[in-house]
């Protein structure tokens, strides 16, 4: 099976659950990446040590590589430099952060697609989480292609990752090591983003210095948009994110998505490697609801936790999703475009 990289920090219970899911698939090569404790968080030292103890509990025949940081480099540095390390040793890998619990079929799905698209450099990413894209949009296919996709359980190839890092060589060294830095301005291809909200969001991300709202994953997607890369998005959600809450870096509020489900085998592949406009639309509309300007302003105004929960429920309701879909089709420039097959 394909090599697996597991990234952790200070959440031993979550790390344990994800490692148990990895254990069920028994990869032959495992990369363990762990950030170090923060100086201003006294509890981190014990928690980070417990995470490493959990990671050291690999009990199946497996070649294990460890990269445990003695100092805290943060989520951005841990993932970016950690994957630099992984992809200096293997040509492809499945990547899981500590809070991403996969269904067993995710590993077979990712391994098959890594093999199928290894030499097709149009494909940059294989996603395991569907981000609530309606399954009806896939017809009978197991996945379709979008311009970006979830990194809650994903896979890629070393050459694509190295291309991203050549475009985005953030060093994580020195006082400016966290600042976004690119060797060329990001110019997303016009034929990839299909909604006004999506174009606004990525245009803002391309010039923003906000490394929390626009973290390593957004920078990866920006490189894909610049290069015209595509992401395989699954018709079913195979990976559950269990990390929302106070200890999370990005998902600091409760947000429930679909529980993981198995992918039917054998896989049914789309006829063409091409952007599926309707799948892309759904992803962009979700991005606008969660991270758009209106959502950001609402979080700044509404501070009561109960009102926030009510607002989130309304925002993510089926009625709200349907309304945003209808408005998008009526107003966006890509209205009526043929779906990619």
């Amino acid at each position: 099976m394909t090599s697996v990289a597991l990234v952790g920090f200070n959440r031993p219970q979550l790390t344990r659950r994800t490692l148990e899911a990895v254990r069920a698939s028994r990869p032959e090569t495992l990369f363990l990446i762990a950030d170090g404790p923060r100086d201003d968080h006294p509890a981190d030292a014990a928690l980070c040590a417990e995470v490493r103890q959990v990671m050291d509990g690999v009990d199946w025949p497996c070649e294990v590589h460890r990269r445990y940081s003695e100092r805290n480099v943060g989520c951005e540095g841990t993932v970016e430099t950690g994957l630099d390390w992984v992809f200096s040793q293997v040509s492809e890998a499945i990547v899981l952060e500590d809070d991403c619990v996969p269904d067993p079929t995710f590993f077979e799905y990712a391994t098959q697609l890594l093999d199928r698209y290894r030499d097709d450099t149009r494909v940059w990413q294989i996603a395991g989480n569907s981000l609530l894209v309606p399954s009806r949009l896939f017809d009978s296919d197991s996945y379709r292609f979008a311009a970006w996709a979830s990194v809650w359980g994903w896979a890629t190839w070393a050459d694509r990752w190295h291309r991203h890092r050549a475009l985005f060589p953030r060093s994580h060294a020195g006082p400016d090591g966290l600042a976004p830095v690119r060797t060329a301005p990001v110019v997303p291809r016009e034929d990839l983003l299909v909604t006004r909200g999506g174009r606004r969001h990525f245009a803002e991300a391309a010039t923003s210095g906000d490394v929390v709202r626009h973290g390593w994953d957004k920078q990866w997607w920006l490189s894909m948009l610049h290069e015209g890369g595509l992401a395989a998005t699954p018709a079913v959600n195979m990976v559950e994110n269990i990390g929302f809450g106070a200890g999370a870096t990005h998902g600091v509020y409760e947000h429930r998505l679909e529980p993981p489900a198995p992918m039917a085998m054998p896989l049914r592949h789309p006829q063409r490697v091409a952007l599926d406009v309707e799948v892309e639309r759904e992803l962009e509309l979700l991005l606008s609801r969660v991270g758009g300007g209106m959502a950001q302003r609402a979080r700044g105004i509404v501070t009561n936790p109960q009102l926030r929960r009510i607002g989130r429920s309304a925002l993510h309701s089926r009625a709200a999703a349907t309304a945003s879909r209808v408005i998008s089709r009526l107003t966006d420039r890509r209205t009526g475009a043929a779906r990619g097959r």
Side-chain angles (χ1 to χ4, degrees), residues 9-12 37-50:
F9 172 38
N10 68 349
R11 299 184 291 181
R38 295 165 293 187
D39 293 337
D40 55 348
H41 287 68
D44 272 2
L47 291 171
C48 290
E50 189 174 351

Side-chain angles (χ1 to χ4, degrees), residues 4-12 15 19 30-38 44-56 64-83 85-86 95-98:
V4 173
L6 175 60
V7 182
F9 172 38
N10 68 349
R11 299 184 291 181
T15 305
L19 185 60
L30 182 63
F31 292 88
L32 300 172
I33 304 164
D35 198 6
R38 295 165 293 187
D44 272 2
L47 291 171
C48 290
E50 189 174 351
V51 164
R52 296 172 191 204
Q53 185 177 17
V54 170
M55 287 182 162
D56 288 342
V64 181
H65 303 264
R66 295 176 175 84
R67 189 174 193 267
Y68 297 164
S69 177
E70 294 304 316
R71 65 182 183 90
N72 183 264
V73 297
C75 177
E76 309 299 308
T78 299
V79 173
E80 288 178 353
T81 63
L83 292 186
W85 170 70
V86 170
V95 183
L96 293 163
E97 294 186 65
D98 60 358

Side-chain angles (χ1 to χ4, degrees), residues 110-171:
T111 296
Q112 286 194 35
L113 295 198
L114 284 168
D115 180 65
R116 183 180 182 88
Y117 298 110
R118 181 175 297 121
D119 298 322
D120 189 338
T121 55
R122 293 173 295 177
V123 183
W124 276 47
Q125 179 185 336
I126 298 159
N129 187 290
S130 66
L131 288 181
L132 298 177
V133 174
S135 58
R136 59 180 171 75
L137 295 181
F138 297 83
D139 294 332
S140 59
D141 290 341
S142 301
Y143 60 95
R144 291 283 177 85
F145 292 101
W148 62 282
S150 173
V151 291
W152 294 341
W154 64 294
T156 192
W157 300 264
D159 59 348
R160 278 71 146 185
W161 180 258
H162 292 323
R163 175 59 181 156
H164 162 58
R165 293 290 279 152
L167 293 167
F168 187 70
R170 180 165 54 180
S171 67

Side-chain angles (χ1 to χ4, degrees), residues 130-133 147-150 152 193-205 213-215 217-218 221-222 225 253 255 279-296 299 315-316 324:
S130 66
L131 288 181
L132 298 177
V133 174
W148 62 282
S150 173
W152 294 341
L193 294 172
V194 303
T195 70
R196 294 178 182 178
R199 288 189 288 271
R200 280 197 304 267
H201 184 91
F202 283 107
E204 193 269 335
R213 185 176 175 218
H214 304 303
D217 51 353
K218 199 75 60 70
W221 297 331
L222 285 168
L225 288 165
Y253 59 88
H255 179 63
V279 170
E280 176 64 26
R281 186 190 307 279
E282 291 294 324
L283 289 170
E284 291 180 30
L285 291 176
L286 174 65
L287 185 66
S288 294
R289 292 197 299 272
V290 173
M294 185 176 295
Q296 295 295 317
R299 290 188 192 114
L315 188 64
H316 296 290
S324 64

